[in-house]
Amino acid sequence: MKITIVVMLGILLLAACGGGGSGSSQTPAPNPGPSNPTLSKPDSQVSNALFSVYADTQAQTGQSVGMVIVANSNIRLTNVVWNQIAGPAVSFLAGNSQAIGFDVEQAGNYQFSVSASSTNGQRLTETIDLSVQQSADTKANIRVDHSVSEQANVSLRIDPSNQSSPTQWQWRQVAGSISVTLNAQDSFVFFDAPDVSQDEIVVIEGSVTLDNGQTISDTSQIVIKNVEINNNGFFPRFSERVVTTDMFAYNQTSPYRDALDSCVYDNQVDGSCFFSTLPLIGSANTQPSIDNILDRVFVSHQWMGDRFKQFLQNSATSADMLKLLRATTAIVISYDVRPSFYWTATGAIYLDAANFWMTPEERDTLNARPDFRSDFGSELSFLIPWRYIKDNDYYFRGSDYPRAERRTKTFEDLEASVSWLMYHELGHANDFFPPTSWSRLSGSSSPLSYANDTEANSSRFATAFPLASQAMQSLAQVSFAGNTASDLQKSYTPEQVSGFFEPDSAPAYYSYSTIREDYATLFERFMMAYRLGVSADVAVIEADEQQTYPVAWGQRNRIAEPKLAARTQYVINQILPEIDAADALNNFPQPQLFTPGLSYFDQLNLGTKQKPSQSRSLSFPSQSWDIQQDLHRHHLGRPEIRN
């Protein structure tokens, strides 16, 4: 079989403590360079020919604790299980991983067990004792110790245990037989896990200087796992990344458990599984239940499946999601999926777990590496953010949940964080596999072969309803694909760009990235308004240094513009024909224009009189964060693979 790659943007949208923190004052050491030949492995609590356990045995209340198990020599560990045997209950959310981390809030004696299978056929079991003393001192917490595959991206964050104000951060590697290169960004540090020939452990120390002059520190243990990698596999080859090996079927009694293991998210997958092995949900169940859907969920952490289940059970969108999910083979939710996407290579949707967390402990397990697209289009003089609004306020805003404050998210905000994403990704899935296709798929076919042989609805849509502005399409390749901006594009003013965008029939700037994104974005915007009564804002704003972000042009409820009606009706009729799209559009709120010259952030309630904004970069430090969220809450495409 000959495989060629057509690079397209339209298939998809576009942490760790514990061990050994002391909480004592000290002077932080400078970050090391890319290598440090004096590093050595930390002392292990248990070690034999097959495995070693590294764990805190002494801690203070309020401290983060870590425990890890690594294979010795070149064997691999599988079926890892951590359990707490004694002591006040603690919460660790990666009990199937080679590393766990958690906070201890009560003094006492704790005991834990870890068991694992080795590739040479042995079952290993060990216990770890932990003594925790009472302490009221301020601690530094790096959450949470964890394991990663070789070549994976790693992120860590450090915070004081109370609301003290940090003024300086320092990061360094303090142990490990291999060296890593740290990229420190204030409270975060990032690094790429190197190739390894056997499991390795690295220990990273973070130090925080507080506004009272005190410096506190903590350490984090990271297991870098030696994993099996097929360099011709879908993910290493076409996505250029090695994925986690800690995945498992959410429902362990699912009839598709083995198929999920081998078909959708693995460094060995190098072919599209036949529908006889992993059929579309709609082919197996024309009216699937929530349990039927959960049989197809594949996760890196149990809590991710729990939250997805909670969403399906309680969201106002649930009936829609059960219908739309019929166009998929599986739902993959993992800490290392970033950004979310749909891929015809497997027929599955891949969801960034950052959309699903509710508790701070769940959030701790996520990878916080910055979005690689953050600098795309930075040389342009304009920005085109978007946001969802309900009752003249943000429908959801990430900056309402600062990491250091460790707030628990409401279900309403979980629904808001997930719904638009699901509508978008499932718009893609139903583009390639519309309802008319499900009953006629052959068991000897696969998602990839069918997609290669059958024209997606978005292709016919783009022919019948093309976007007109070539300037916007070229600019979108700069903002979303990372193309270099030309001198002409750098010279465009926000007013000029508004003139390109406003007369056309795109609902969003992202629609210009590919015909696939145009199709999915129209569906997403319509469904958010139709099912949830949520309005979308789109605006062309100036990227000013003062971060006031004055608006050149902006509009709310653009999906109700008459010029978009025929395009929107086509998409809805193809994906959910039971909805009367024309009638729904007639009942949508009328589009509203922004006031030119006023700040983007001052135009939430468009029905009130507003005054020009002064610079708020000091008073409202969340502005830049919100702009970045508004710009990048979408995805970029995986390569389309052709047989």
Side-chain angles (χ1 to χ4, degrees):
M1 178 178 68
K2 182 180 179 180
I3 297 177
T4 59
I5 305 173
V6 180
V7 178
M8 298 186 65
L9 297 172
I11 311 271
L12 59 142
L13 186 73
L14 283 132
C17 168
S22 66
S24 60
S25 298
Q26 64 178 42
T27 301
N31 290 341
S35 63
N36 190 337
T38 64
L39 292 175
S40 61
K41 282 188 177 180
D43 293 332
S44 59
Q45 298 303 319
V46 178
S47 185
N48 58 39
L50 295 177
F51 69 96
S52 297
V53 174
Y54 302 86
D56 292 328
T57 59
Q58 301 287 330
Q60 297 177 348
T61 54
Q63 190 174 331
S64 296
V65 171
M67 300 179 177
V68 306
I69 182 172
V70 298
N72 294 330
S73 187
N74 60 356
I75 69 168
R76 293 184 175 90
L77 299 179
T78 61
N79 302 316
V80 177
V81 178
W82 293 88
N83 285 302
Q84 182 177 1
I85 300 172
V90 300
S91 175
F92 52 86
L93 301 178
N96 63 307
S97 169
Q98 286 182 226
I100 60 171
F102 51 90
D103 291 358
V104 285
E105 302 299 338
Q106 298 183 52
N109 294 316
Y110 298 71
Q111 189 174 64
F112 301 84
S113 69
V114 58
S115 60
S117 299
S118 66
T119 50
N120 62 7
Q122 297 190 50
R123 186 67 182 171
L124 321 169
T125 302
E126 193 54 63
T127 59
I128 304 100
D129 293 312
L130 170 67
S131 176
V132 178
Q133 304 299 316
Q134 187 70 37
S135 172
D137 294 341
T138 300
K139 310 293 191 304
N141 297 113
I142 309 177
R143 301 176 176 99
V144 287
D145 291 43
H146 61 282
S147 65
V148 299
S149 300
E150 55 188 327
Q151 302 181 31
N153 301 323
V154 183
S155 71
L156 300 172
R157 177 187 172 95
I158 189 168
D159 289 300
S161 59
N162 55 28
Q163 295 303 307
S164 301
S165 298
T167 61
Q168 184 181 9
W169 298 263
Q170 293 285 338
W171 294 92
R172 62 172 183 159
Q173 182 181 353
V174 295
S177 57
I178 59 172
S179 180
V180 297
T181 301
L182 302 180
N183 175 15
Q185 299 181 21
D186 295 334
S187 61
F188 286 98
V189 69
F190 309 98
F191 66 89
D192 295 326
D195 289 316
V196 295
S197 58
Q198 66 179 57
D199 287 357
E200 299 285 357
I201 181 172
V202 298
V203 182
I204 308 299
E205 181 185 73
S207 299
V208 181
T209 301
L210 307 178
D211 55 3
N212 63 4
Q214 181 187 15
T215 298
I216 53 179
S217 65
D218 191 17
T219 56
S220 174
Q221 302 175 114
I222 305 297
V223 177
I224 301 175
K225 297 195 298 183
N226 175 29
V227 300
E228 294 184 0
I229 301 171
N230 176 1
N231 290 324
N232 288 317
F234 280 172
F235 288 94
R237 182 178 179 186
F238 300 117
S239 294
E240 298 180 345
R241 63 188 177 124
V242 172
V243 302
T244 179
T245 58
D246 290 331
M247 302 296 296
F248 58 93
Y250 176 68
N251 181 2
Q252 285 293 292
T253 63
S254 167
Y256 300 102
R257 185 181 71 173
D258 292 342
L260 293 174
D261 282 337
S262 59
C263 293
V264 297
Y265 199 60
D266 186 88
N267 299 306
Q268 298 294 309
V269 177
D270 59 1
S272 189
C273 285
F274 292 133
F275 286 125
S276 58
T277 300
L278 189 61
L280 288 186
I281 293 174
S283 298
N285 303 94
T286 57
Q287 299 295 326
S289 65
I290 291 177
D291 286 340
N292 295 144
I293 300 298
L294 296 177
D295 280 344
R296 306 298 189 96
V297 175
F298 200 48
V299 296
S300 63
H301 294 73
Q302 177 75 19
W303 70 262
M304 298 171 188
D306 293 342
R307 295 307 183 198
F308 185 71
K309 179 180 180 179
Q310 183 180 5
F311 170 75
L312 292 180
Q313 290 175 331
N314 298 289
S315 173
T317 69
S318 181
D320 295 333
M321 298 306 170
L322 294 182
K323 295 175 182 177
L324 296 168
L325 282 162
R326 293 178 293 183
T328 67
T329 59
I331 303 95
V332 178
I333 313 175
S334 177
Y335 77 90
D336 63 345
V337 171
R338 173 161 294 194
S340 302
F341 61 96
Y342 165 77
W343 206 4
T344 54
T346 63
I349 56 170
Y350 298 80
L351 303 175
D352 184 346
N355 295 89
F356 288 89
W357 71 269
M358 288 188 70
T359 71
E361 291 79 14
E362 291 168 356
R363 193 182 196 179
D364 291 340
T365 65
L366 303 175
N367 191 315
R369 195 177 185 95
D371 194 312
F372 69 92
R373 304 159 296 169
S374 297
D375 290 333
F376 287 0
S378 59
E379 294 181 309
L380 301 175
S381 66
F382 66 91
L383 300 169
I384 308 183
W386 63 272
R387 63 192 178 194
Y388 278 119
I389 300 293
K390 189 167 187 177
D391 299 327
N392 288 316
D393 201 356
Y394 279 94
Y395 183 50
F396 175 74
R397 181 169 55 179
S399 62
D400 288 340
Y401 293 92
R403 284 179 179 269
E405 296 186 15
R406 302 188 64 75
R407 298 177 184 174
T408 295
K409 190 187 294 181
T410 65
F411 176 78
E412 290 74 20
D413 280 347
L414 172 70
E415 181 181 47
S417 181
V418 172
S419 296
W420 71 272
L421 175 67
M422 293 288 291
Y423 279 132
H424 190 101
E425 299 306 337
L426 294 173
H428 285 305
N430 285 269
D431 177 12
F432 287 93
F433 293 96
T436 54
S437 70
W438 304 334
S439 63
R440 52 187 174 87
L441 295 174
S442 168
S444 60
S445 181
S446 70
L448 180 57
S449 63
Y450 181 87
N452 284 342
D453 295 340
T454 309
E455 187 178 42
N457 282 338
S458 56
S459 297
R460 294 187 289 272
F461 165 75
T463 299
F465 303 100
L467 294 173
S469 177
Q470 293 298 314
M472 291 303 298
Q473 293 182 28
S474 295
L475 287 168
Q477 298 311 304
V478 175
S479 295
F480 303 118
N483 288 4
T484 301
S486 67
D487 290 340
L488 177 61
Q489 290 171 325
K490 294 176 186 177
S491 73
Y492 286 147
T493 66
E495 289 73 21
Q496 287 176 301
V497 175
S498 300
F500 301 148
F501 180 84
E502 190 283 329
D504 210 352
S505 55
Y509 185 26
Y510 195 47
S511 294
Y512 291 99
S513 60
T514 70
I515 60 176
R516 315 293 189 215
E517 297 305 341
D518 186 22
Y519 191 87
T521 301
L522 274 165
F523 180 69
E524 170 203 331
R525 295 292 165 88
F526 175 91
M527 292 304 299
M528 291 296 288
Y530 176 77
R531 186 63 65 199
L532 296 169
V534 175
S535 302
D537 285 353
V538 59
V540 183
I541 66 178
E542 180 184 347
D544 62 326
E545 293 182 359
Q546 294 75 31
Q547 297 183 2
T548 57
Y549 303 115
V551 171
W553 170 89
Q555 190 174 39
R556 182 168 296 172
N557 296 314
R558 185 170 173 82
I559 194 67
E561 272 280 358
K563 70 183 76 170
L564 274 66
R567 307 179 84 242
T568 304
Q569 290 174 44
Y570 179 96
V571 172
I572 302 305
N573 290 339
Q574 293 296 315
I575 298 179
L576 286 177
E578 59 267 37
I579 295 178
D580 187 337
D583 180 69
L585 288 169
N586 286 333
N587 288 287
F588 279 4
Q590 290 299 301
Q592 293 176 280
L593 292 176
F594 282 49
T595 301
L598 294 188
S599 170
Y600 175 74
F601 291 103
D602 283 342
Q603 304 203 54
L604 287 175
N605 190 343
L606 297 184
T608 62
K609 181 179 281 189
Q610 297 156 334
K611 297 180 180 180
S613 172
Q614 302 298 316
S615 173
R616 302 189 306 170
S617 58
L618 295 179
S619 300
F620 293 83
S622 65
Q623 284 189 177
S624 295
W625 166 266
D626 289 330
I627 282 288
Q628 290 300 315
Q629 294 298 296
D630 291 348
L631 287 170
H632 296 297
R633 286 189 305 161
H634 42 59
H635 60 204
L636 293 179
R638 289 286 176 267
E640 185 169 327
I641 307 172
R642 298 289 184 184
N643 288 333

